[in-house]
Amino acid sequence: MWQYKHFQELSAQDFHQIIKERTKIFVVEQGCAYQEVDDIDLRAIHLIKRHKDSIKAYARIYKDERRIKIGRVLVPGEFRNEGHGKELIKTALDYVNCHYPNSEVVIQAESYLKDFYERFGFKTTSDLYYDYDIGHYDMELEKKVPALQH
């Protein structure tokens, strides 16, 4: 079952699990020394799927100026290749469509996940760039144009 929580709704245990997984993947696994905990956590919606006492999938959703950003998208190694990533993005987009209809939705995708995000309707809006030696693309969700009525 998916949980959507504002920062104030997270228990200390929730936040510990989130930061533990984010640090394990984005700092240790990917070898990127950066400030993982930031002020965005205070205003983001934290989307969490659990398995017993573990996190199966996680992302945070937040509004930045006029756009909605989906970030810190992760599936821990032991739960990869089971469809949780697809379910995570679908669930995040359902949340965004419900709470922020007609908003621009953007992500910063690691280059090897570009095709994955394109399957959900994201298009590339930047050239390949490197952030901590990892290739990324900026991507935006394409707006669906309503069919013309005849």
Side-chain angles (χ1 to χ4, degrees), residues 9-146:
E9 298 171 310
L10 295 171
S11 69
Q13 182 72 20
D14 289 335
F15 193 63
H16 176 265
Q17 286 180 320
I18 290 166
I19 295 307
K20 182 178 174 184
E21 289 302 331
R22 285 182 9 192
T23 302
K24 182 170 78 175
I25 292 171
F26 300 126
V27 178
V28 178
E29 183 180 306
Q30 295 182 347
C32 301
Y34 71 100
Q35 183 63 45
E36 172 48 38
V37 180
D38 59 26
D39 291 341
I40 294 169
D41 286 318
L42 300 172
R43 59 188 170 92
I45 295 297
H46 299 270
L47 176 57
I48 311 159
K49 183 176 186 182
R50 297 185 189 284
H51 173 73
K52 299 181 183 174
D53 292 332
S54 301
I55 291 177
K56 273 190 167 181
Y58 168 86
R60 69 181 184 184
I61 302 166
Y62 61 98
K63 190 171 179 112
D64 186 18
E65 299 168 16
R66 69 184 196 290
R67 304 177 303 176
I68 304 302
K69 292 188 175 184
I70 301 172
R72 298 297 201 269
V73 175
L74 68 82
V75 174
E78 64 269 26
F79 299 114
R80 291 181 188 153
N81 301 310
E82 297 177 1
H84 301 296
K86 291 175 190 170
E87 187 181 350
L88 173 61
I89 298 305
K90 182 185 178 316
T91 303
L93 291 176
D94 287 347
Y95 180 90
V96 169
N97 287 333
C98 181
H99 292 86
Y100 303 103
N102 304 314
S103 293
E104 181 181 345
V105 181
V106 297
I107 57 170
Q108 291 176 292
E110 292 179 13
S111 58
Y112 79 98
L113 291 170
K114 180 177 166 284
D115 293 342
F116 171 79
Y117 288 112
E118 285 174 343
R119 287 182 277 199
F120 291 94
F122 284 92
K123 66 177 181 176
T124 305
T125 59
S126 74
D127 291 331
L128 178 67
Y129 63 92
Y130 289 85
D131 193 6
Y132 293 95
D133 295 327
I134 297 174
H136 284 78
Y137 290 100
D138 291 336
M139 299 184 83
E140 179 181 328
L141 189 63
E142 288 187 289
K143 300 275 189 226
K144 292 184 175 63
V145 178

